[in-house]
Amino acid sequence: MTNTSKLLRNNHCLFLAYDQGFEHGPTDFDEKSVDPSYILNIANESKAYTGIIFHEGIAQSYYDPNTETVPLIVKLNGKTSLHPNEEPYSPQLCSVDEAVKLGATAVGYTIFIGSIYESKMMEEFSRIEDEAHERGLAVILWAYPRGINVIGKEKDKDTVAYGARIALEMGADFVKVPYTGSTESFSWVVKSAGTTRVVVQGGAKVDEQTIFDEAIACKKAGAAGMAIGRNIWQSQDPISVSKKLASIIYEK
Amino acid sequence: MTNTSKLLRNNHCLFLAYDQGFEHGPTDFDEKSVDPSYILNIANESKAYTGIIFHEGIAQSYYDPNTETVPLIVKLNGKTSLHPNEEPYSPQLCSVDEAVKLGATAVGYTIFIGSIYESKMMEEFSRIEDEAHERGLAVILWAYPRGINVIGKEKDKDTVAYGARIALEMGADFVKVPYTGSTESFSWVVKSAGTTRVVVQGGAKVDEQTIFDEAIACKKAGAAGMAIGRNIWQSQDPISVSKKLASIIYEK
Amino acid sequence: MTNTSKLLRNNHCLFLAYDQGFEHGPTDFDEKSVDPSYILNIANESKAYTGIIFHEGIAQSYYDPNTETVPLIVKLNGKTSLHPNEEPYSPQLCSVDEAVKLGATAVGYTIFIGSIYESKMMEEFSRIEDEAHERGLAVILWAYPRGINVIGKEKDKDTVAYGARIALEMGADFVKVPYTGSTESFSWVVKSAGTTRVVVQGGAKVDEQTIFDEAIACKKAGAAGMAIGRNIWQSQDPISVSKKLASIIYEK
Amino acid sequence: MTNTSKLLRNNHCLFLAYDQGFEHGPTDFDEKSVDPSYILNIANESKAYTGIIFHEGIAQSYYDPNTETVPLIVKLNGKTSLHPNEEPYSPQLCSVDEAVKLGATAVGYTIFIGSIYESKMMEEFSRIEDEAHERGLAVILWAYPRGINVIGKEKDKDTVAYGARIALEMGADFVKVPYTGSTESFSWVVKSAGTTRVVVQGGAKVDEQTIFDEAIACKKAGAAGMAIGRNIWQSQDPISVSKKLASIIYEK
Amino acid sequence: MTNTSKLLRNNHCLFLAYDQGFEHGPTDFDEKSVDPSYILNIANESKAYTGIIFHEGIAQSYYDPNTETVPLIVKLNGKTSLHPNEEPYSPQLCSVDEAVKLGATAVGYTIFIGSIYESKMMEEFSRIEDEAHERGLAVILWAYPRGINVIGKEKDKDTVAYGARIALEMGADFVKVPYTGSTESFSWVVKSAGTTRVVVQGGAKVDEQTIFDEAIACKKAGAAGMAIGRNIWQSQDPISVSKKLASIIYEK
């Protein structure tokens, strides 16, 4: 079983994202969700996920590759939310070697599509992609439109499809993108990505039915699955939401 | 047979370019041309091409060096079209080593002649040229005038000839440049390039006869051939246009 | 005994900080405290400290790993106070290898959380963290909010908790942060740091009782201890203040 | 015979420069001089030169070290003339290793003295000087005053002498500088250069007698020789001008 | 005898500085002093110096380690005086390895304390300090306050003491600083430097008695010695001034 297939169930995927402590800060958390053990527990108990997303330090202290069953996705770069007026750049903060030591099945990296630092992140990602594939890890590109060149167009069909295409052109196994709002537009995103699997980002907490509808629409558009965080661990009943989502994503 | 001669037929060349998904985004494509397999099919069926141009990710997923017969040219750098107000810079996104693994016969790299980042791209290209020749690959320089210093002069005889000369001074085997509009002016471009073979870029979709006339004029000027993309895969009949172009380029 | 546990007594820690000659200049010192031997003497005589913080040069000339009993923490980066109008950046000035040669038990590094150079320091710290752990050293992150993005919020609960969280996400063993002013707010900082131990910075000289109260409050909030400098070596009676603080921090 | 002495005849030198295709573009050329073979032919036929200056690509395609008798000087850095409003920077575009493979006797490198990028070029040159001497090559510094700090003073005695001195302080074997206009002022340039040999740059085409007079004046000032290009290959009779210059430079 | 002790006589030092050709240009010289041999001659004849300061190129051509008796100090970085309106930065232009080959006893490096490029020079110096000590060379830091942050305060007690302290914190064996104007203030500089030996810079030519008085005052303040250039080789009688200074510096 390749590392890509370890991240799939019935050829689809559902990733539990927990990099928000880095990207947004602890304000996203409450007394329960601030604890990484709580998140791991949701993953283990719900059996809904084909991957869990951590930064290096949390993987190091909380994820034991010998006992955990949900595959580990190490997010290699990150930035804080303290820079609202700067063009977005997210530096590499964990090497592929470290990810291997932590027992990772895949690595994730964000390119802010449209940022004036886009070329710097592309260069970094191109090296990471080579190293990760060399070491047998799957590669997930967070292709997020951001910055002065794409303001107001972050979820437009053409912008999102461009990000998905870059993932294909650069050799990513998966690309994580925002939802474009309709099955029709999103199916163009999926086509643009070619053999690269498309994963929809969950985003901020919305009501449960909205998430379920989005999952259905994306799946219909040909997406491989979702990466979801706040809509799970900010929920009153994370296990049941996880299970319901899994049933949508994985049903044949 | 050296790698340079593999890219030639009757001492001329015709390259099928498909790096537009990176440079312009999927908006250049329709439902058919968005799929790299469609492009490969044109190349295989028409037997018109001495090279096909892909970025690393597409080569990885769609080009099998064991079965494909059209030589692979891996484009090593790229930039998105999302930066209209920034001076153009195109970073290296694939190593020469990776290109070798993908079965490449040649590598391509763009220098935006006149850009304020020209020196950075020249430095990068000079290393690539050494590595590629060391590994036996042919080297193609995209010498594209761009940026504040050459605005409005991108297709002028002197600007284009300067780019062609840089290719010679830096040791490229081929240089890809815009057409200057006449056989007379383009023949100065060819002379400036010395032993470096000159390839004309196809550009945006125009009517077929225009392309054929351009091919005839360039050949008369001493150019080695053309690199063509949109005028093929945006065409209603890509196979027949390909064959017609090939007959012009390769005829003795 | 791991290097982390060498820095602990009853699972708590008290560090004697003497990097102010670098960060503030000799104006912090008087005729006695300008001499590093005076500081070492306080550490040795009071037996209050589980670590002493020096830059490379001072460790080299004054700290003999064969005879000193207080564990050495080498501060790897530093900046002078001569740059009030520049966004703060603190470059690495000592390698992990050098720290090992000097007999260090731990290394320290400052990230100015919120600075426009934050990403540069994060990148540097991520490499240091790997190297130090590889060599068996403990890693202490100075997570100091600074710069235009956090002006006036340097000691706010959310800003300080964000810095503490970054330490966890990046794999630091300890994080040194400013005090947020109350046990309640600081306990959120401690929770955000997860398994990373939280150490309160001492700051400028205040009256002794204020420091003792702060130590009590932080300890109640779950902090591991304090890092203290000016309140000790600018004191009339450094030994007795040290002992009193130690009794607060280490008492069970 | 060391590589330095290979570049000398009667302890003097005359270099044929042909890096203008890079520095100025093909506009310097006519139908004859655009061809590097024409230049080599002048060198071979006139027997006037102790060195010929090419960039890597031209050396690669036109200079055969097994048959050519004029020593090769590879110019390692270069910039185009397309950047009139930018401070001048000239990046390294050929390694010392490549120069060795091409059969070079010496390498050349330009520092724009006074440019805001002066320090960057000095750093690069200092590495090149070490590598080249390690490999047995002679080192020629083009010390050209340029940029906002020296506008209007590019040929002043003090500015040119400063450049010549830098060549000595950095260990160049030869320094190529503009002529300061008189034997008296130029003799200070030569003294400032100490053991480093001073070579006068030829510059734009002027009438023949002017060049001969300059050669005589420089030689009287103690210069080692000249590096000349346009005044030769833009001449109606390059062979005879070459021979006349040679007789001035080499006469005892 | 360690390399540090080779630079001392009766535990004090007097260095003959000749890096002004780089830092100020040949305008500092006359027909005699422009020649490095003249300087070496002063050193040899006066027997007054425990070190002579050259850049790489001059050491290479004029200093023979097999016959010279005055220890060589190679200045590793340098900048020209052509940049009055730029913040000062002085790049490394000679490696420690080269200094070893040249027979150096010590290396020198300038940090412009207060410059906006201070952190860049600190980083560079920290690597040099490690390499030089590894190779057994002594390390001398030129700690010169310069740039917008310290304008008008370049010789203030606190600024100069800060520079001296940085030398200690970073592990320099010697620090070269400007004189602060009085024994009292300078003694604080010496105390701030701890175990790092303090050397006073000579500066521009003044009358002889002023220099002798300064030497006496600095010595009384605890300084190790002086580094002097223009006041020697611009003097009418360099040998006698050298001897007089030596008698002041070395007397017990």
Side-chain angles (χ1 to χ4, degrees), chain E residues 114-131:
Chain E
S115 161
I116 64 168
Y117 300 116
E118 183 193 88
S119 64
K120 205 173 158 184
M121 289 175 276
M122 282 182 170
E123 268 189 311
E124 209 158 62
F125 177 70
S126 78
R127 283 192 298 267
I128 286 168
E129 186 262 319
D130 288 353
E131 287 173 43

Side-chain angles (χ1 to χ4, degrees), chain D residues 3-24:
Chain D
N3 274 309
T4 294
S5 62
K6 278 184 206 161
L7 298 167
L8 299 172
R9 197 182 296 173
N10 289 338
N11 210 28
H12 285 80
C13 60
L14 190 57
F15 300 150
L16 184 55
Y18 190 63
D19 56 340
Q20 293 83 354
F22 205 116
E23 297 293 323
H24 309 146

Side-chain angles (χ1 to χ4, degrees), chain C residues 74-248:
Chain C
V74 176
K75 183 76 195 307
L76 299 189
N77 66 342
K79 63 178 279 298
T80 66
S81 62
L82 299 168
H83 307 268
N85 300 314
E86 296 163 36
E87 273 291 287
Y89 170 64
S90 183
Q92 183 176 1
L93 301 175
C94 175
S95 65
V96 169
D97 270 7
E98 281 302 311
V100 170
K101 285 185 203 163
L102 293 168
T105 298
V107 292
Y109 184 95
T110 301
I111 296 178
F112 293 116
I113 304 292
S115 161
I116 64 167
Y117 300 116
E118 183 193 270
S119 64
K120 204 173 160 185
M121 289 175 276
M122 281 182 170
E123 268 189 310
E124 208 157 65
F125 177 70
S126 78
R127 284 193 298 266
I128 286 170
E129 186 262 319
D130 288 353
E131 287 174 44
H133 282 150
E134 185 76 32
R135 305 291 303 263
L137 300 192
V139 174
I140 306 172
L141 176 64
W142 273 234
Y144 283 12
R146 283 287 186 292
I148 45 164
N149 290 305
V150 292
I151 276 185
K153 292 183 272 186
E154 289 89 346
K155 300 189 173 189
D156 283 7
K157 172 188 163 187
D158 284 344
T159 323
V160 176
Y162 205 158
R165 182 70 181 194
I166 292 299
L168 168 64
E169 302 266 352
M170 294 191 73
D173 300 297
F174 295 83
V175 63
K176 190 178 162 208
V177 292
Y179 182 50
T180 54
S182 72
T183 295
E184 194 195 354
S185 62
F186 206 72
S187 103
W188 179 244
V189 173
V190 171
K191 272 178 192 137
S192 296
T195 49
T196 299
R197 285 177 170 84
V198 177
V199 179
V200 185
Q201 66 167 113
K205 181 84 174 68
V206 292
D207 70 283
E208 291 176 12
Q209 197 51 48
T210 304
I211 281 293
F212 298 149
D213 290 348
E214 202 172 297
I216 292 163
C218 292
K219 206 186 162 189
K220 200 179 291 179
M226 281 190 121
I228 194 143
R230 285 167 282 174
N231 279 289
I232 299 301
W233 39 260
Q234 287 180 357
S235 159
Q236 291 305 312
D237 190 354
I239 306 289
S240 112
V241 181
S242 297
K243 286 182 168 170
K244 174 74 177 154
L245 254 183
S247 76
I248 295 168

Side-chain angles (χ1 to χ4, degrees), chain E residues 146-200:
Chain E
R146 281 287 186 293
I148 45 165
N149 290 306
V150 292
I151 276 185
K153 292 183 272 186
E154 289 90 344
K155 300 189 173 188
D156 283 8
K157 172 188 163 187
D158 283 344
T159 323
V160 176
Y162 205 158
R165 182 71 181 193
I166 292 299
L168 168 64
E169 302 265 353
M170 295 190 72
D173 301 297
F174 295 83
V175 64
K176 189 179 162 208
V177 294
Y179 182 50
T180 54
S182 72
T183 297
E184 194 196 353
S185 62
F186 206 72
S187 103
W188 179 243
V189 173
V190 172
K191 273 179 191 134
S192 296
T195 48
T196 299
R197 285 175 170 86
V198 178
V199 179
V200 186

Side-chain angles (χ1 to χ4, degrees), chain D residues 168-188:
Chain D
L168 169 64
E169 302 266 352
M170 296 190 72
D173 300 297
F174 295 83
V175 63
K176 190 179 162 209
V177 294
Y179 182 50
T180 54
S182 71
T183 296
E184 193 197 353
S185 61
F186 207 72
S187 102
W188 179 244

Side-chain angles (χ1 to χ4, degrees), chain E residues 189-242:
Chain E
V189 173
V190 172
K191 273 179 191 134
S192 296
T195 48
T196 299
R197 285 175 170 86
V198 178
V199 179
V200 186
Q201 67 166 111
K205 181 84 174 68
V206 292
D207 70 284
E208 291 176 13
Q209 196 52 49
T210 303
I211 280 293
F212 299 150
D213 290 349
E214 202 172 299
I216 292 164
C218 292
K219 207 187 161 187
K220 200 179 292 179
M226 281 190 121
I228 194 144
R230 284 166 285 175
N231 279 289
I232 299 301
W233 38 258
Q234 287 179 357
S235 159
Q236 291 305 313
D237 190 355
I239 305 289
S240 110
V241 180
S242 297

